[in-house]
Amino acid sequence: MCGIIGYIGKQPAGPILMSGLRRLEYRGYDSSGIALVSKGGLKVHKAQGKLAQLEKLLPKRLAGTLGIGHTRWATHGEPSDANAHPHCDETGRIAVIHNGIIENAPQLRARLESDGHTFLSETDTEVLAHLIAASGEEALEQRVREALLAVQGTYGIAVVDRDQPDRLVVARNGSPVILGIGEREMFVASDVSALVRHTRQVVHLDDREIAVLEMGGFRTLTLDDQPTDKQPLTISAGQEQYEKDGFDHYLLKEIHAQPEACERTLRGRIDRQFNTAHLGGLDLPPRELLDIRRIKILGCGSAYYAGMVGANMIETLTRVPCDAEPAAEFRYRNPVIEKDVLYMAVSQSGETFDTLAAAQEVQRKGGRVLGVVNAVGSTIARQCDGGIYVHAGPEVSVASTKTFTCSLLAFALFGLHLGRIRDVSPGEGRRLCDALLALPEQIRQVLDQSDAIQQIAVEHLAHNHSAFYIGRAGCYPIALEGAQKMKEISYVHAEAYPASELKHGPLALVSPETPTVALIPHDDLLEKSLSSVEEIRARRGPVIAVTHAGDTRITERADAVIEVPKTESVLDPVLLSIPLQLLAYHAAVALGRDVDQPRNLAKSVTVE
Ligand code: F6R
């Protein structure tokens, strides 16, 4: 959410900032802008809309080897040229880019206005530029520090000063800021994706930390002016992981990358000797695991739905009560934290504000939180008391796909690990290990049906105003996730219900124009799911069944059928979720949607 990039070194900064913004555009695409410092002073270029709008108005030659760039997801103030970042003070000396929300901006702005300051935008960020310019301090880092002491809220900021062209100052509180270390050059970004083409050596800033970047290196200090010592981390993701690799969209690439991504999630984690899972990062010895009486999973959006599936898997395998809750709701209801409850925070980006805040709330009250996180070294991963890296690889498309699937596998591994300490027998453990290892190949088999699924999407879903998704038990969250994918990338309205709930209300809306995607695994609830299909058919509602092969009652009743391979029942949701991604993707393409950057959304929601 909002992309930040900055550079100081020997090279022209303009092209580096623009290529960084291209990488970061998925974090926000309401407007973009850059500020460059050169002998000619401080120059700002910005434009409403996607990055292409900014590219159009940039001069051919961009002077300056120091600069900052921003791509915006609007919070304060509508998308417009004036509200685009960078923001400057009145004299045009200071330029600031910002990700986050300054909560006391209205009060600060009123105070500055009464001191004679004039504002050009509606943003909270402009207040920062004025505060920094108005500081009585000399060095830019001290000006920034003084300004930030007056601020309440969250920020990842980068600041340049026309009169101090030897430095770039950045700071963080609640929004990610990552330094990239080069050869006599330094970079900063809100996301490693913008750094990998320049360097593998990175440093994650912590909250209330400021960094001063100079050509020869960096130093860090706290808001209380204490120096800090930061150790660089080497990142493994290469630039190639951020390319489309011949696919039309990142989303399609990421859907098709799932077999390999799942292999990575499983790699080195299946212990064949004891038919269990080996999870090195848990940092929880079996004796402590035995003390766990309940598990609560916290996440947002698709990560929350993954948590719901995970809760079902873990409870089924371990008989330890487990549920999932949206992180923001949990946090604000003053939750009771108990010693024998284990909390798990699930997040692709590892930067989602609400998930991070929920984890911090648990820890503040003495609870233990394990992370199920994709982005290595991210804030949530560092905040948690241990965890499982999902290893899905970088996810660029705004809608989550491969991380969703890999998170399910991470939960299954955890369920297996805990289950084998408790009730799961060696034989059951062996079956689960076999089933987990077979999943990547089974996902390939589902992906091979992409053309047939495309036809179903176009024929039955893309041109309707609304669709229902139904499932039961572990498949209900898969229905929720399928409906979410359909809504967010195709803008076709989709609602998910537990199949059993249809007759309690939603059935009133079923008609020949309202198709239902029904998840019907061959499990204990098969007969019940078939009854739901009958209820829909009786109202002449079209049914798209996502199911297993071999039951003619389904093929006879459904208008379209997608079959996935059978696995252990507890893992069925993994395979049943893949066709739903493809249905949403193909519907979105048929409708000409911006699949990778759907309207109003951005990846990594780092604001509340
Ligand atoms: C939907 C989607 C979002 C994210 C949610 C949490 O496709 O991607 O709902 O799942 O914003 O993000 P992370 O997983 O980064 O915490």
Side-chain angles (χ1 to χ4, degrees), residues 300-303 346-350 352 355 398-400 484-485 488 603-605:
C300 298
S302 294
V346 53
S347 174
Q348 186 288 125
S349 60
T352 298
T355 309
V398 164
S400 175
Q484 155 117 320
K485 285 288 92 84
E488 71 181 322
K603 204 153 184 83
S604 189
V605 183

Side-chain angles (χ1 to χ4, degrees), residues 285-305:
R287 195 171 303 129
E288 286 183 43
L289 280 169
L290 276 179
D291 288 339
I292 295 170
R293 292 283 156 265
R294 221 154 49 75
I295 297 169
K296 163 82 75 187
I297 302 173
L298 303 165
C300 298
S302 294
Y304 161 56
Y305 298 147

